Amino acid sequence: EGKVVKSLWFKNGNLKLIYKIDIKNEIMLIDKVNGVFDLLLNNYGPDKYYGSVHVELPDTLSVSEVDHISREITERIMNKFGVIIHTVGVYSINTKNTEIIKLRKNISDIVFSYDGIIQMHGFYINEKDKNIKFDIIIDYKIEDRDELYNIICEDVKNRYPDYKIDVLLDFDVSD
């Protein structure tokens, strides 16, 4: 079910385990949040957890709407889990251009056609600069993760030669 974040002991002697997946699921309940990634938590003593997280939000939101969502995440997670989320990073999702949405699906299909891919996130296309960026997570069970990463990068670059492709080999830190 994910990694245990912390244990809460109640006065009646019951134990409740908090899992990272619980925190991610809670954040996903917030309107406009389309994905939750890279949840990092640091323990600074008994019941003192501080963390950061990335969320995917539509590119149509204003800064004030993003600020509201960030504050809601911080408040909700503190109230429900006693964890202080001090940083909320944002991945913008292209939502206005149907061609870009199709391109995202095509690239996702390419990436997930390879065995060992756990996740792709943070996908964004800057059409003006002809730049495609996204993160991938490759299972640690894959013997040569760097080789698979390079193969995927080359495959995407060969299929979309008019774009600069920036792929980050991310780490599986959340689940």
Side-chain angles (χ1 to χ4, degrees):
E1 286 211 34
K3 295 181 179 128
V4 174
V5 173
K6 68 184 207 177
S7 305
L8 297 177
W9 287 99
F10 294 96
K11 288 181 182 176
N12 63 7
N14 290 336
L15 170 69
K16 178 175 174 134
L17 299 177
I18 305 295
Y19 293 91
K20 282 187 169 185
I21 195 69
D22 296 329
I23 293 171
K24 290 173 74 173
N25 288 340
E26 186 67 25
I27 294 170
M28 282 298 298
L29 295 174
I30 297 171
D31 189 38
K32 306 286 188 207
V33 173
N34 292 317
V36 179
F37 309 98
D38 306 325
L39 176 61
L40 295 173
L41 298 173
N42 299 298
N43 181 331
Y44 293 104
D47 295 324
K48 293 203 186 307
Y49 281 85
Y50 294 82
S52 61
V53 68
H54 284 113
V55 295
E56 285 185 334
L57 300 175
D59 58 356
T60 55
L61 297 180
S62 69
V63 173
S64 62
E65 289 170 308
V66 172
D67 180 68
H68 173 77
I69 292 167
S70 175
R71 291 171 190 270
E72 184 175 350
I73 290 168
T74 301
E75 184 177 320
R76 198 182 261 217
I77 299 308
M78 180 61 199
N79 290 340
K80 185 157 187 178
F81 301 106
V83 173
I84 298 168
I85 300 294
H86 59 77
T87 305
V88 178
V90 176
Y91 292 125
S92 179
I93 301 174
N94 301 102
T95 60
K96 301 179 239 178
N97 182 322
T98 55
E99 291 304 311
I100 289 177
I101 293 168
K102 287 179 195 171
L103 202 140
R104 176 186 175 139
K105 177 166 181 353
N106 292 343
I107 291 175
S108 178
D109 289 346
I110 293 167
V111 169
F112 284 102
S113 72
Y114 292 93
D115 290 335
I117 300 301
I118 294 175
Q119 189 180 91
M120 180 179 116
H121 63 269
F123 187 95
Y124 189 77
I125 296 179
N126 181 325
E127 192 61 35
K128 180 181 155 221
D129 294 338
K130 293 290 195 188
N131 192 351
I132 299 173
K133 294 183 176 192
F134 59 93
D135 298 359
I136 60 172
I137 297 176
I138 298 174
D139 195 319
Y140 289 115
K141 294 175 187 167
I142 299 299
E143 192 171 312
D144 193 341
R145 294 172 68 244
D146 289 332
E147 179 184 17
L148 179 56
Y149 165 78
N150 289 326
I151 290 169
I152 292 169
C153 290
E154 284 306 309
D155 192 355
V156 174
K157 287 176 185 178
N158 289 336
R159 295 188 202 205
Y160 297 96
D162 295 338
Y163 289 89
K164 180 178 186 274
I165 310 295
D166 292 324
V167 182
L168 175 69
L169 178 55
D170 208 348
F171 298 97
D172 187 15
V173 295
S174 291
D175 297 329

